[in-house]
Amino acid sequence: MSLPATAAARPSVLSGIGLMVLSVLLFTTMDMLVKLASERFPIGQIVFVRNLFAFLPVMLVISRSGGFAAIRTRNLLAHALRGGIGILSMVCFFLSYSLLPLGEAVSLASSGPLFMTALSVPLLGERVGPRRWSAVIVGFVGVLIMMRPGSGVFQPAALVAITAALCYAIAMTQVRRLSRSESSTAIVFYFTLFATIVGAATLPFDAVMPTWSEMPLLVAIGLIGGVAQFTMTAAFRRTAVAIIAPFDYLGLVFAMTLGYLVWGDLPDVWLVTGAAIVVASGIYIVHRETMVGRQRRAALASG
């Protein structure tokens, strides 16, 4: 006797949510460690160790996915383009962590989905309706509130976090395009490879020799980042985007909490208000994209 569809699906949904929450917690922990590391090590070196040690979980997944056949590609140039934009995004993210309180940097970077929706029109040819455009506009109002322009406390470093979010959105549109013909394992592998090479290229010009007591910090950044990448991928495979995507915004709560516990940074009302607006806009965009997708599938089925 088989279980009803809803009962059978429930464990998959719960595991997907659990994996998503774990992924967000891991990524935020990595962000905290990057901020700690940036107090002594240059950003290029942190990019290098982040990706070098991420190869351990990446290679484990490759071995369980059929070996190197899982990363064969005919789109190396496309991977390089995605890698270049993604590396620029990573550099800006890491730099923003060193320049801003952790909670503020992560909150500003959460505007990535807003940029992604806006860029999906010119870069992917997708259609975005007036409701989603309205949500994007409202979301950017939230970003402006967090940046506090003209208030006397605006920090130019906030633009670094916004640039990181913009580059992230462009990189994710490239991932969408690549995913039509490439496996997620191949996409992660080639990005990790290119980022390691670029990070290594900076070492002769700007590097600090870590002590033995500092090595666990650098290794942890790479291992945690690599594991987080695959837990997030597994979450999206198990559960619908509309269900688990909102949990990504738990990262703001985790970042603000860690920022207070480690550095004593207490978010002000501007940051909390702006972040709440961005989160609400992002969740609404996910909801509308899901509704539009269902309507299109229903129209194709009936046609």
Side-chain angles (χ1 to χ4, degrees):
M1 181 177 178
S2 61
L3 291 172
T6 53
R10 192 173 297 122
S12 177
V13 171
L14 293 177
S15 64
I17 292 173
L19 286 168
M20 187 65 178
V21 172
L22 175 61
S23 173
V24 172
L25 180 58
L26 290 172
F27 271 125
T28 310
T29 301
M30 185 200 73
D31 295 341
M32 178 196 68
L33 297 178
V34 168
K35 183 172 178 63
L36 287 172
S38 67
E39 297 172 0
R40 172 165 163 76
F41 300 100
I43 299 300
Q45 187 173 356
I46 298 174
V47 169
F48 171 69
V49 297
R50 154 67 176 90
N51 292 282
L52 176 67
F53 293 109
F55 263 118
L56 295 176
V58 168
M59 296 307 293
L60 177 62
V61 172
I62 289 175
S63 66
R64 298 182 63 180
S65 302
F68 285 99
I71 59 172
R72 287 178 183 167
T73 181
R74 296 180 179 177
N75 298 312
L76 192 59
L77 185 60
H79 281 290
L81 176 62
R82 177 266 188 270
I85 298 171
I87 293 165
L88 179 58
S89 174
M90 181 177 289
V91 169
C92 289
F93 274 130
F94 290 179
L95 184 59
S96 70
Y97 300 153
S98 69
L99 298 174
L100 295 168
L102 184 62
E104 185 170 348
V106 173
S107 296
L108 288 168
S110 68
S111 59
L114 305 178
F115 285 114
M116 203 180 307
T117 300
L119 291 172
S120 67
V121 177
L123 297 183
L124 296 176
E126 296 181 356
R127 296 177 60 184
V128 175
R131 294 183 182 180
R132 278 182 286 171
W133 276 121
S134 299
V136 169
I137 293 171
V138 170
F140 282 126
V141 170
V143 173
L144 288 175
I145 291 173
M146 287 190 283
M147 294 177 68
R148 302 180 283 278
S151 66
V153 295
F154 167 72
Q155 299 185 61
L159 297 177
V160 177
I162 297 299
T163 301
L166 175 59
C167 292
Y168 170 80
I170 297 173
M172 288 303 101
T173 59
Q174 295 299 314
V175 169
R176 283 189 186 181
R177 184 172 294 166
L178 273 170
S179 63
R180 297 169 184 170
S181 60
E182 304 287 302
S183 68
S184 58
T185 303
I187 293 172
V188 172
F189 171 79
Y190 286 107
F191 172 75
T192 306
L193 176 63
F194 291 136
T196 302
I197 294 172
V198 171
T202 70
L203 297 182
F205 307 100
D206 189 19
V208 174
M209 180 63 68
T211 64
W212 285 109
S213 61
E214 292 169 333
M215 280 301 297
L217 171 64
L218 299 178
V219 173
I221 289 173
L223 291 179
I224 292 173
V227 173
Q229 184 69 52
F230 281 106
T231 53
M232 179 170 285
T233 300
F236 279 105
R237 280 180 177 174
R238 289 170 177 260
T239 311
V241 172
I243 295 175
I244 60 173
F247 288 92
D248 191 27
Y249 290 107
L250 284 174
L252 275 68
V253 178
F254 294 153
M256 290 180 185
T257 301
L258 289 173
Y260 175 73
L261 293 176
V262 179
W263 292 277
D265 297 327
L266 191 64
D268 60 20
V269 66
W270 294 99
L271 180 61
V272 173
T273 301
I277 293 173
V278 171
V279 169
S281 300
I283 292 175
Y284 181 77
I285 287 172
V286 171
H287 169 72
R288 284 300 306 170
E289 287 182 348
T290 304
M291 293 295 294
V292 170
R294 288 176 179 172
Q295 291 171 358
R296 288 176 180 170
R297 288 192 294 271
L300 289 173
S302 62

